[in-house]
């Protein structure tokens, strides 16, 4: 990512949470994401790396559930807003950094969570290798992605292949319930959980 990319996302930060799945302001949308996270994450206490965390809304949802969360985003303004949300959650921290090459301790996390970022990164196979190194022995990847009507994104099959290429068992689940997005969607949205091979 370039400094120009960071500036573009800095400019988006003020309205970023207006999207239902970004701000989670609608109680129905928030409940849907809470239920999803509970279903794909290990039980608390667990440590989560939220890569490309944006304004930290999902990180804070996890903190409220009892997870320790370290969020990384390359936009200083996104990180500023995320840090402001963290308030009374000392187990949550945010830092400016590259989600594709996060400066986080290897083997320290139970979960690497990334939502709608992997598709935009170059050298995705290398990125996933880096992310896997952040995980402890029983750690898992949780990748929320999509293949959108704009033509951008990754298909479920593409993400599954990347996760399997990183040496993980891939468990894909569709996310076509309108509750996640604040209304019906006509494109492909999903989460892939990548666990250690048996």
């Amino acid at each position: 990512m370039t400094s120009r990319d960071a500036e573009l996302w800095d400019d988006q930060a003020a309205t970023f949470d207006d999207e239902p799945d970004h701000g989670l302001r609608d109680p129905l949308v928030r409940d849907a994401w809470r239920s999803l996270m509970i279903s794909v994450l290990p039980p608390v206490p667990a440590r989560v790396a939220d890569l490309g965390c944006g304004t930290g809304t999902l990180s804070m949802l996890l903190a409220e559930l009892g997870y320790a969360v370290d969020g990384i985003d390359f936009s200083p303004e996104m990180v500023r807003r995320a840090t402001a949300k963290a308030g009374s959650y000392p187990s949550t921290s945010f830092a400016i950094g590259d989600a594709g090459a996060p400066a986080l301790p290897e083997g320290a996390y139970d979960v690497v969570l990334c939502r709608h970022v992997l598709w935009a990164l170059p050298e995705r196979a290398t990125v996933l290798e880096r992310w896997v190194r952040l995980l402890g022995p029983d750690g898992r990847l949780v990748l929320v992605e999509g293949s959108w009507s704009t033509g951008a994104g990754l298909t479920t099959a593409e993400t599954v292949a990347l996760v399997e290429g990183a040496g993980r068992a891939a468990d894909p689940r569709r996310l076509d319930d309108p509750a996640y997005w604040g209304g019906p969607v006509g494109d492909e949205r999903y989460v892939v959980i990548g666990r250690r091979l048996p």
Side-chain angles (χ1 to χ4, degrees):
M1 299 291 182
T2 67
S3 59
R4 178 62 182 146
D5 292 325
E7 290 172 6
L8 289 171
W9 283 106
D10 280 349
D11 291 343
Q12 297 293 316
T15 58
F16 188 76
D17 284 352
D18 292 348
E19 290 295 322
D21 60 304
H22 290 174
L24 304 183
R25 294 168 175 159
D26 182 323
L28 294 177
V29 175
R30 189 175 188 82
D31 285 348
W33 282 96
R34 180 185 293 111
S35 296
L36 175 64
M37 291 295 104
I38 290 170
S39 75
V40 299
L41 268 59
V44 295
R47 190 173 182 191
V48 179
D50 185 1
L51 306 181
C53 64
T55 61
T57 304
L58 196 55
S59 295
M60 296 316 303
L61 177 65
L62 298 183
E64 291 167 11
L65 291 170
Y67 293 94
V69 185
D70 295 324
I72 298 286
D73 201 279
F74 75 120
S75 161
E77 182 59 20
M78 292 285 192
V79 170
R80 187 192 70 76
R81 289 172 182 271
T83 301
K85 290 178 183 178
S88 60
Y89 292 94
S91 63
T92 300
S93 68
F94 297 98
I96 300 166
D98 181 356
L104 295 171
E106 293 189 3
Y109 292 91
D110 301 292
V111 177
V112 168
L113 170 67
C114 188
R115 182 169 65 158
H116 298 162
V117 174
L118 179 62
W119 72 273
L121 297 176
E123 301 179 354
R124 296 178 192 123
T126 301
V127 165
L128 280 180
E129 289 172 8
R130 292 181 189 131
W131 292 355
V132 167
R133 289 198 294 269
L134 298 179
L135 296 171
D138 293 317
R140 66 186 70 172
L141 300 169
V142 177
L143 309 176
V144 178
E145 286 294 335
S147 178
W148 298 288
S149 55
T150 60
L154 293 168
T155 65
T156 306
E158 288 171 324
T159 301
V160 165
L162 285 164
V163 169
E164 291 176 344
R168 296 270 140 169
D171 174 15
R173 303 180 190 181
R174 293 174 58 102
L175 298 180
D176 49 9
D177 186 333
Y180 294 119
W181 317 109
V185 295
D187 43 24
E188 183 181 1
R189 304 189 189 198
Y190 58 89
V191 59
V192 175
I193 305 98
R195 294 183 174 88
R196 185 177 65 170
L197 290 168

